[in-house]
Amino acid sequence: MKLEQILLAISNTNDNDLTIAGLEAAKDNWSTFYPELERLMDQFIADDTSLTDEQEAIVFFGTLLLAELKYSPALAKCLQLFARSDTFLTPIEAIFGDALTELTPTLFFNVADGSSQTLSDYIIDGHQAMYCKASAMEAVFAQYEVGGIDKAELVEHVTRWLAAFLALPSAINSFLISVLADSCIKYQLDDFRPQFIDLCDKDLFDEERFEQCEVKAWDRNDTATLIESGAIQTKFNVVDTLNAWIVNDLDDEVADNMANEDSDAFKSLMGEGGLLADILYDESTILENSVPVSSLPTAGRNDPCPCGSGKKYKKCCLR
């Protein structure tokens, strides 16, 4: 394929086979494709509302190819691209969607190629990225996981990040403090435990990201690390990953349809004129069929949850 054909194929998101063919052609003709990708990235960096839908698709797929190819010369450009507000309905979120949180850790890890200092500088920079700064932190922890940096270097980075987040309290920095606490526990950086526990009394954590009770418990010995869990993919493949997403989306759609059918069936039975519409439950009936709270199973924080989910109690019904 010529460059124009590659770009047309990649931007045609309505034809999965054509997009895949375009991605394969882009890899085969990388020296021709990458300069065009970089040009579009520069255009977005200069004006993040200037791209057409087709150009946004090229930036989306092309950026993911950087992760697959581990193309380290693009690291600085990637960090420029993601150095902006990245919350819901921002221009960068409009392009990357769920990939903004799900795949940027893999992108940063693979493209950084062990350059933890560059990622660290990005993390403490004054731009308004929140999810992508968190992704960069996770990429550095993953570098430690694979032996790319030692514990002393990781501790130095963490100390630097935490000082920067605490220097200017904000909703973004609260989120990042929570991500950092989670990772420190996951990777057993116990020297930071007293400092994080002290922060629990200062309302500096984002409770939706990582609860203070989990910080105080400081117990994640059973939790898989980022690479072990697959949260960061050292061998990333764009087509395989996106195809898996499509399958998951279809499964979710089927589940939603089944739930809607169940809801419709319930309404047909309980709604006006339904077979069970006249059944009423009075207070005495409810009390007679209630289960005393004292008879419910109990569990410790690290025991299997009594609800049968298979999760630990602290990660399920205790939350």
Side-chain angles (χ1 to χ4, degrees):
M1 286 187 185
K2 294 182 178 180
L3 177 61
E4 293 77 9
Q5 294 172 312
I6 294 171
L7 298 177
L8 181 62
I10 291 176
S11 63
N12 190 342
T13 56
N14 293 321
D15 188 333
N16 191 48
D17 291 337
L18 187 59
T19 302
I20 292 173
L23 290 171
E24 293 300 328
K27 289 188 289 185
D28 292 339
N29 298 273
W30 187 251
S31 62
T32 302
F33 174 76
Y34 178 70
E36 177 62 16
L37 172 62
E38 189 175 59
R39 185 189 70 79
L40 291 176
M41 293 169 78
D42 281 333
Q43 182 178 331
F44 182 84
I45 291 166
D47 180 357
D48 59 16
T49 62
S50 65
L51 300 185
T52 64
D53 291 345
E54 291 76 15
Q55 289 172 330
E56 288 184 352
I58 294 168
V59 170
F60 173 78
F61 288 112
T63 303
L64 296 186
L65 282 178
L66 297 175
E68 178 174 333
L69 299 175
K70 300 185 178 182
Y71 192 66
S72 56
L75 176 59
K77 193 64 63 180
C78 282
L79 296 181
Q80 279 185 280
L81 181 71
F82 291 103
R84 66 196 65 248
S85 178
D86 55 9
T87 52
F88 186 54
L89 296 181
T90 55
I92 195 75
E93 190 273 339
I95 293 179
F96 287 92
D98 288 345
L100 193 68
T101 53
E102 300 297 321
L103 297 182
T104 48
T106 291
L107 170 68
F108 290 151
F109 176 82
N110 285 337
V111 176
D113 191 29
S115 181
S116 62
Q117 189 60 50
T118 304
L119 293 177
S120 187
D121 291 342
Y122 167 85
I123 291 163
I124 67 166
D125 199 2
H127 58 80
Q128 296 300 300
M130 181 171 76
Y131 297 119
C132 291
K133 283 187 177 183
S135 295
M137 283 196 293
E138 291 179 338
V140 174
F141 274 95
Q143 289 178 350
Y144 168 68
E145 183 175 345
V146 299
I149 59 175
D150 59 23
K151 185 173 182 179
E153 188 173 352
L154 178 62
V155 167
E156 183 177 337
H157 287 314
V158 171
T159 302
R160 186 185 185 207
W161 302 338
L162 188 55
F165 302 154
L166 294 175
L168 187 62
S170 66
I172 291 176
N173 285 340
S174 290
F175 177 84
L176 295 172
I177 289 170
S178 298
V179 173
L180 186 54
D182 185 10
S183 295
C184 285
I185 295 171
K186 188 176 299 180
Y187 286 88
Q188 300 179 32
L189 297 188
D190 295 339
D191 290 346
F192 288 96
R193 177 179 182 178
Q195 190 171 359
F196 277 112
I197 290 179
D198 286 344
L199 294 178
C200 290
D201 298 325
K202 299 180 180 179
D203 195 28
L204 291 175
F205 289 93
D206 183 331
E207 288 285 302
E208 292 184 3
R209 176 55 180 82
F210 197 63
E211 296 180 0
Q212 292 186 14
C213 63
E214 294 179 282
V215 177
K216 293 177 180 178
W218 203 268
D219 177 18
R220 294 291 291 272
N221 292 330
D222 60 328
T223 302
T225 50
L226 290 159
I227 293 176
E228 286 177 341
S229 67
I232 288 183
Q233 303 174 50
T234 58
K235 296 180 179 179
F236 177 69
N237 182 280
V238 176
V239 173
D240 290 348
T241 298
L242 296 182
N243 278 338
W245 281 19
I246 292 171
V247 171
N248 289 336
D249 286 343
L250 291 175
D251 289 344
D252 290 342
E253 185 176 344
V254 170
D256 288 342
N257 289 337
M258 292 178 63
N260 290 333
E261 291 173 2
D262 289 343
S263 177
D264 291 341
F266 178 81
K267 290 176 181 177
S268 70
L269 290 172
M270 298 300 294
E272 185 175 352
L275 293 175
L276 305 180
D278 295 330
I279 295 179
L280 299 177
Y281 294 97
D282 57 24
E283 183 178 359
S284 61
T285 302
I286 293 173
L287 291 174
E288 288 173 2
N289 289 278
S290 296
V291 178
V293 173
S294 60
S295 69
L296 294 175
T298 59
R301 284 179 56 81
N302 291 303
D303 293 336
C305 189
C307 76
S309 66
K311 298 180 181 179
K312 284 193 173 186
Y313 184 41
K314 68 180 180 181
K315 298 297 293 181
C316 191
C317 293
L318 182 62
R319 294 176 67 91

